[in-house]
Amino acid sequence: MLKEDLINSGAIKFGDFVLTSGKRSGYYIDIKSAYTDPKILDEIGLEISGMVKSGKIAGMELGSVPILVSVSIKTKRPFVIIRKDDLKHGTRKRYIGSINLNEEIDIIDDVATTGGSIMKAAEIIRNNGGIVKRAICVVDREEGAAEMLKENNIELYSIIKASELR
Amino acid sequence: MLKEDLINSGAIKFGDFVLTSGKRSGYYIDIKSAYTDPKILDEIGLEISGMVKSGKIAGMELGSVPILVSVSIKTKRPFVIIRKDDLKHGTRKRYIGSINLNEEIDIIDDVATTGGSIMKAAEIIRNNGGIVKRAICVVDREEGAAEMLKENNIELYSIIKASELR
């Protein structure tokens, strides 16, 4: 259902694409343009909401924030926004919201590629006393994220896997 | 109603504060921490939604985004996120979402001080063919934003004015 809507909305395009990494790809994903339509965001939020287990959710600035807020509203769970590294504001708190000691938090993201962004968010949550066991993304590109996160005790869940798009 | 909730949630604190500008203030506003609670975000979203007139809404990265998404979900209007200036990614599109020619867009923000952030968003929307006549914020600090925006043909609306907090 959501997969077809993402294709119809232009969020997933098929063709011959050169990614910023230089790799070629048979599909191109642009969740960020699609989710500015509240109908699409609602569907994404609904599917992600069904996979949330912890009492709080977190996401990395900026791409995951609309999904995070949609899931927060649907599940009535508070959210944490992890800020990107920003040398200009070195002393600034690295997140918006609260992280309590030994509180379990699920991480939400739009697209998982290598898992670097999710891992960064997990490190900041863990360094501030929180517990991370699960991450949920819309699209898993299957380029190593699940394996890398598993080594770091995080289970990755997704709505759509790249292998389903080929 | 919302004003009391913002005070109770700690979003608005009274006391003797030194702001980053060096000025002293009898109150301190931290909407960002408060709105990570979905109950507070829901109330903010509800009040802002009642003031939206255009068919699309926009906000500046990052602070306004949760409010923007809440209003988008409530009013079923698509949203545009204006990115902060980022020299590292000079060629990147300055916004997420779409701006159509002669399309009217309302700007949403958490706090208006001098109005600089709202004006920046308005310039980017106008440079991309959109029309901006209205901006809506949660708190208007009444430090010149309304006057400056009016000179630029933007009417500023707010839920709470600083003078109501003194």
Side-chain angles (χ1 to χ4, degrees):
Chain A
M1 185 85 153
L2 180 62
K3 184 181 156 185
E4 280 70 40
D5 285 330
L6 288 174
I7 293 167
N8 292 337
S9 72
I12 299 174
K13 291 188 180 76
F14 296 94
D16 186 23
F17 298 96
V18 180
L19 304 177
T20 44
S21 62
K23 280 189 197 171
R24 300 191 91 86
S25 175
Y27 64 95
Y28 179 82
I29 301 169
D30 183 7
I31 302 289
K32 290 178 187 62
S33 288
Y35 69 34
T36 62
D37 174 344
K39 290 194 302 291
I40 303 283
L41 184 62
D42 185 68
E43 284 195 61
I44 293 173
L46 203 64
E47 297 235 15
I48 301 270
S49 292
M51 294 191 259
V52 170
K53 288 272 173 67
S54 300
K56 197 174 272 186
I57 51 177
M60 187 65 98
E61 169 192 354
L62 171 76
S64 74
V65 176
I67 301 172
L68 194 63
V69 172
S70 166
V71 173
S72 166
I73 291 170
K74 281 184 194 304
T75 65
K76 302 196 189 306
R77 283 170 166 80
F79 61 88
V80 178
I81 300 174
I82 312 293
R83 289 180 186 277
K84 277 182 221 157
D85 211 359
D86 183 349
L87 293 175
K88 276 188 300 185
H89 303 278
T91 58
R92 196 170 62 168
K93 210 174 137 195
R94 280 301 301 275
Y95 56 90
I96 296 171
S98 66
I99 299 172
N100 301 316
L101 190 63
N102 294 328
E103 175 178 48
E104 195 175 322
I105 301 178
D106 286 354
I107 294 175
I108 289 173
D109 212 344
D110 55 345
V111 179
T113 307
T114 62
S117 167
I118 290 171
M119 197 57 230
K120 187 78 209 162
E123 278 168 8
I124 290 166
I125 293 168
R126 287 171 172 172
N127 288 343
N128 284 279
I131 294 169
V132 178
K133 293 180 180 172
R134 299 161 56 88
I136 310 160
C137 63
V138 181
V139 180
D140 178 2
R141 285 186 184 272
E142 298 180 302
E143 293 183 20
E147 296 73 14
M148 186 275 276
L149 292 170
K150 200 171 181 68
E151 279 171 28
N152 289 283
N153 302 310
I154 299 167
E155 204 73 41
L156 179 66
Y157 298 85
S158 61
I159 300 177
I160 303 167
K161 286 191 168 63
S163 51
E164 299 167 10
L165 295 176
R166 279 181 202 120
Chain B
M1 184 85 153
L2 180 62
K3 184 181 156 185
E4 281 70 39
D5 285 330
L6 288 174
I7 293 167
N8 291 338
S9 72
I12 299 174
K13 291 189 180 76
F14 296 94
D16 187 23
F17 298 96
V18 180
L19 304 177
T20 44
S21 63
K23 281 189 197 171
R24 299 190 92 85
S25 175
Y27 63 94
Y28 179 81
I29 301 169
D30 183 7
I31 302 288
K32 291 178 186 62
S33 288
Y35 69 34
T36 63
D37 174 344
K39 289 194 302 292
I40 303 283
L41 184 62
D42 185 67
E43 285 194 61
I44 293 173
L46 204 63
E47 298 235 15
I48 301 269
S49 292
M51 293 191 260
V52 170
K53 288 272 174 67
S54 300
K56 197 174 273 185
I57 51 177
M60 188 64 99
E61 169 191 355
L62 171 75
S64 74
V65 176
I67 301 171
L68 194 64
V69 172
S70 165
V71 174
S72 166
I73 290 170
K74 281 184 194 302
T75 64
K76 302 196 188 308
R77 282 170 167 80
F79 61 88
V80 177
I81 300 173
I82 312 293
R83 290 180 185 277
K84 278 181 220 158
D85 211 358
D86 183 349
L87 293 175
K88 276 188 300 186
H89 303 278
T91 58
R92 196 171 62 167
K93 209 175 138 194
R94 281 300 302 275
Y95 56 91
I96 296 172
S98 66
I99 299 172
N100 301 316
L101 190 64
N102 294 329
E103 175 178 48
E104 195 175 322
I105 301 178
D106 286 354
I107 294 175
I108 289 172
D109 212 344
D110 55 346
V111 179
T113 308
T114 61
S117 167
I118 290 171
M119 197 57 230
K120 187 79 209 160
E123 277 168 8
I124 290 166
I125 293 168
R126 287 171 172 175
N127 288 343
N128 284 279
I131 294 169
V132 179
K133 294 180 181 172
R134 299 162 56 89
I136 310 159
C137 62
V138 181
V139 180
D140 177 1
R141 284 185 184 273
E142 298 180 304
E143 293 184 19
E147 295 74 14
M148 186 275 277
L149 292 171
K150 200 171 181 68
E151 279 171 28
N152 288 282
N153 302 311
I154 298 167
E155 204 71 42
L156 179 66
Y157 298 85
S158 61
I159 300 176
I160 303 167
K161 286 191 168 61
S163 51
E164 298 167 10
L165 295 175
R166 278 182 202 118

